[in-house]
Amino acid sequence: MTRPMNAYLLFAAKAYRLRLQYRAAHLVNNIASAIFGFMYMAIWQAAAGGSPAADAYGGTTMVHWVAFNQVMLWASVFLTRGLGIPEAVRTGVIGVELLRPLDFHWLALSREMGNVVYSLLHRSLPLAIVFGLVAGVHVPQRPVTTVLLAGGVVLSIYIGLCLQYLIGISSIWTTQIRAANHLFFTLHTAFSGFLVPIDLLPRPFDTVARFLPFAPLHHDPARIYLEMAGVDALLGPVVWAAVLTVLCRGLTVLARRRLEVQGG
Amino acid sequence: MSAIVEAVELRKVFRVAKDRPGVLGALRGLFSWEGREVRAVDGISFAIRRGELVGYLGPNGAGKSTTIKMLAGILHPTSGEVRIEGRSPQRHRQEVVRRLGVVFGQRTQAWWDLPVRDTLELLAAMYGVKPADYRAALKRFDEMLEIGAILDVPVRKLSLGQRMRADLVAAWLHRPPVVFLDEPTIGLDAVAKRRIREFLREINRREGTTILLTTHDMDDIEELCSRVMVINHGRLVYDGDVEGMRRAVGVPSSMRVEFAAPPAGPLVGPWTAAVQEGPTVTVAFDRSRCTAAEVIAALNRCGPIRDIYMEEPDIERVIERLYAQAGTAGGAAPANSPGGVVTRPGP
Amino acid sequence: MTGLLPAVQLYLRSVQSAMRAKMQYRADFITGLLLYGVLSATDFLMIAAILTRFPRLGGWDVYEVGLLYGMASVAMGLYRTFGAELHEFERYLVRGEFDGLLVRPWPTLFTLLGRNVEPERLGNSLQGALLVGICSWRLWETGALDALEVAYVAAVSIMGTLVPFSLALITAAFGFWVVRIDEFQTFVMYAPVAASHYPLTVYPGWLRALLTSVLPVGFMNFVPVQYLLGKGGGPWVLWASPLVMVGFAVLAYGCWRLGERHYQSTGT
């Protein structure tokens, strides 16, 4: 079991080093990302800043909410489209990759983990520092929050990876990956709580959002971070992580079967 | 006898950015373009007369493509000047390229998802080719390249050879007096290559198109070109006819011979070197001094031969040798060849 | 071979070819059209969600903000439709495909834009037009806008496409030096256009200054609408805004021409 483990790590490390080459360009992107963050903060302050908070979502809270989600965006949402699987399908490399003696789902995920680690260090961290300097940092009151937050962040990343994996693996059956990607971003905008907490959505949407795998990306960890919820906010993410794992692995089996039939 | 394509002291220096380590280095790299200079083309002058078919040779990275791109107005020279029919393709790009055809062997200009016909029609509109002329051109090219069979096939479904034929038609559709071809035979099989050479020879003869083509293929040069220019390290090292180049270089050829049994006696013959490994003997000989038949006859005298393999020298080695000669002897081109000049490389 | 008529004819011909290539994947087109419309609408629904909870955003109600959002969507959708190749310009630089544009006897930008259109992006514009329609209707009913002003809003919405076009052109021109430009697009295009969906008065001063100068997205909606709704500015903004957009486009084309001369064909 140690040898394949090393292989997964190797893939992650390679992806990380590849990213390092484009640091300069990413720097400009970070500035843009920070501006996006400030923009959202300004909007919430303009909307909610004047009136005293009727409930948990007041002006100051929303500033931290938006900052946290902007930082998380790079770790769990802005991943390689379809984890690079559509390109592998187009070039035919997928045949080789699926037949390697490695678990394809873990392989794709660990390769992307290299990118995630890169993004955390070179995108999320600088952003968090900038937001912290300008808007202040929310420090959790209870120590247990840190533990829960770590869990929420890890689950957010894992679910983000699985969703991209689903988009990617679907390219074996369809050519409409761009459409799938747009659908993903549409649903993310509406139902993740990225800009607007799910509790604030108009009537049917808030219920729908609670039953979709997008809340664990932003809404749930943000509520833990701002101590609006405790361990209960991890229930949704844990369930979704399990469901998505089963779904991903099932589709991988089907994909392999299909390729074997095609390959003859 | 006026020149239709002229290059005067053409020079192109690229600046390659230095890769700086660390985040700070990357930051600095954003704001300054300090770097190493690469002289891709380093002072080249030549003149091509109307109707000439010129081969442009050189190893990878010698500056062939850079030259063609400057001639076609794609790149701006660092210094020096290009004149096509007396006008600079850089200063009067649109007017000059109207009377130019350009073919890049590596990539096509055609719409990937559309039939060849659509691309041709669009190009006809782009160059203002009249409908009657367009129809006549299609008919002419169908005779020469059998383009009719592939007109309605989407470009993505064409073979490499078919695509090159389509690209040639596209380049000649507006009857340009000058056409530049960058590696038109690269990656093609022997049949496709022959067909393209036939087309180039014929169109050059029939329409008087002035053609400059870069190539790696010695056969392209031998079969097509009345004149060769050789570039290495950004400088012109030979400019003259093919025969002159052969003489100037003394093209080294080699032959590998398998004897039935290892030859016992000494290997005597008109070759310049012989290496023996068991029953296999490799000999190098100079084609300007003796023929392959003479070499085979001499080898036959050494013992019964089972098999013979000819090993033609690759163009890179010919040019290397040419370049080395140009560096030491200086001016090895025959005086009688048209414009036969070997430029001396600098110190 | 210059002259307006042949140019228009050639452009239509090019677009026709590009469309024919596209129609080989008809299903992609239909789903694309729907998805871009829905994506844009969802984005606006988020703003609407904020505005149902807090009735005003920096003094603007949901119809007023909707007008800003719709105008920006019309402009952006038109750009993404007709400027598709400009948006993908990094590819031309990385693979040296710009060579192919330089050997054609037309201005390079003209040849470039004719090579592809993405009509499915019109979904974004249609959604924006719908929003502009609804919001103008409402503002006309309440007497905030008169018929002439509504017509002005419609005209500026379409003209506003000059702003993303110019931003893209400047980014592309920058690419002649740095080659990799996709990462810059977020900074130059996505962030400013997203910012233009809201009244600029909610932003800190430095950001507002940026969005009305170097990245002048403010002129395609906020600046004129602010005056029309009696929230600030003088009547002069009504002619100044189109003028600024045209001036910016001219400047952007100047950058393009300058960059073009610096093109260092890479690739092979």
Side-chain angles (χ1 to χ4, degrees), chain B residues 147-214:
Chain B
I147 192 80
I150 55 169
L151 269 182
D152 294 304
V153 182
V155 174
R156 63 167 193 272
K157 289 187 180 154
L158 296 181
S159 72
L160 210 56
Q162 289 171 324
R163 206 189 302 159
M164 180 46 66
R165 268 148 64 198
D167 277 342
L168 289 174
V169 176
W172 256 278
L173 202 58
H174 56 291
R175 308 189 81 157
V178 180
V179 175
F180 299 129
L181 301 111
D182 197 6
E183 305 277 4
T185 57
I186 197 161
L188 301 184
D189 61 55
V191 180
K193 277 183 181 176
R194 194 180 327 124
R195 185 170 220 156
I196 284 174
R197 286 184 200 127
E198 270 164 22
F199 170 78
L200 292 176
R201 205 182 304 126
E202 188 155 338
I203 198 109
N204 170 255
R205 190 173 52 79
R206 268 174 38 175
E207 306 213 346
T209 318
T210 309
I211 299 175
L212 177 69
L213 66 99
T214 72

Side-chain angles (χ1 to χ4, degrees), chain B residues 69 93 107 118 126-127, chain C residues 20 99 102 104 106 265:
Chain B
K69 282 173 183 172
R93 185 184 67 80
R107 54 173 180 258
D118 289 57
M126 203 175 254
Y127 286 88
Chain C
R20 218 170 315 149
D99 292 9
L102 282 166
R104 300 295 175 217
W106 292 87
S265 166

Side-chain angles (χ1 to χ4, degrees), chain C residues 188-205:
Chain C
V188 178
M189 175 91 59
Y190 299 133
V193 170
S196 77
H197 292 157
Y198 306 87
L200 299 193
T201 36
V202 308
Y203 301 127

Side-chain angles (χ1 to χ4, degrees), chain B residues 52-312:
Chain B
E52 270 194 291
L53 209 169
V54 182
Y56 196 38
L57 282 175
N60 280 330
K64 289 190 307 260
S65 289
T66 306
T67 314
I68 293 266
K69 282 173 183 172
M70 284 193 282
L71 294 179
I74 292 167
L75 284 175
H76 286 252
T78 309
S79 68
E81 209 182 336
V82 177
R83 280 191 293 270
I84 311 276
E85 297 184 299
R87 273 184 303 184
S88 156
Q90 277 77 28
R91 258 170 287 148
H92 308 277
R93 185 184 67 80
Q94 286 179 50
E95 291 92 319
V96 171
V97 298
R98 273 196 56 67
R99 299 180 50 77
L100 221 57
V102 183
V103 175
F104 298 106
Q106 310 270 23
R107 54 173 180 258
T108 175
Q109 310 284 327
W111 262 261
W112 199 241
D113 285 322
L114 287 179
V116 176
R117 191 190 295 279
D118 289 57
T119 295
L120 295 180
E121 277 173 9
L122 200 65
L123 285 175
M126 203 175 254
Y127 286 88
V129 178
K130 291 189 180 63
D133 293 342
Y134 173 70
R135 279 192 299 274
L138 277 197
K139 196 155 170 282
R140 197 167 68 244
F141 290 123
D142 188 34
E143 284 164 22
M144 297 170 81
L145 287 169
E146 287 166 43
I147 192 80
I150 55 169
L151 269 182
D152 294 304
V153 182
V155 174
R156 63 167 193 272
K157 289 187 180 154
L158 296 181
S159 72
L160 210 56
Q162 289 171 324
R163 206 189 302 159
M164 180 46 66
R165 268 148 64 198
D167 277 342
L168 289 174
V169 176
W172 256 278
L173 202 58
H174 56 291
R175 308 189 81 157
V178 180
V179 175
F180 299 129
L181 301 111
D182 197 6
E183 305 277 4
T185 57
I186 197 161
L188 301 184
D189 61 55
V191 180
K193 277 183 181 176
R194 194 180 327 124
R195 185 170 220 156
I196 284 174
R197 286 184 200 127
E198 270 164 22
F199 170 78
L200 292 176
R201 205 182 304 126
E202 188 155 338
I203 198 109
N204 170 255
R205 190 173 52 79
R206 268 174 38 175
E207 306 213 346
T209 318
T210 309
I211 299 175
L212 177 69
L213 66 99
T214 72
T215 184
H216 267 90
D217 193 325
M218 201 56 180
D219 292 338
D220 284 350
I221 300 293
E222 299 232 28
E223 290 182 29
L224 283 177
C225 303
S226 51
R227 175 179 167 193
V228 201
M229 297 192 291
V230 181
I231 184 176
N232 200 4
H233 299 302
R235 287 165 174 271
L236 219 51
V237 293
Y238 178 82
D239 183 352
D241 62 15
V242 181
E243 195 47 45
M245 181 172 78
R246 205 192 308 273
R247 254 178 292 155
V249 178
V251 186
S253 294
S254 73
M255 200 182 287
R256 192 154 57 85
V257 182
E258 247 178 65
F259 287 98
L267 296 164
V268 186
W271 43 77
T272 50
V275 178
Q276 186 181 346
E277 261 177 75
T280 309
V281 173
T282 309
V283 295
F285 62 99
D286 189 339
R287 282 204 173 220
S288 63
R289 300 225 183 96
C290 61
T291 65
E294 284 167 5
V295 174
I296 293 169
L299 284 166
N300 240 332
R301 286 192 288 275
C302 303
I305 292 174
R306 184 184 285 160
D307 219 338
I308 298 175
Y309 309 89
M310 279 299 295
E311 279 164 11
E312 287 299 336

Side-chain angles (χ1 to χ4, degrees), chain C residues 47-69:
Chain C
I47 302 178
I50 300 177
L51 281 163
T52 47
R53 187 176 171 77
F54 307 98
R56 275 166 185 279
L57 191 62
W60 293 55
D61 71 19
V62 69
Y63 294 100
E64 292 165 339
V65 176
L67 196 59
L68 294 181
Y69 189 92

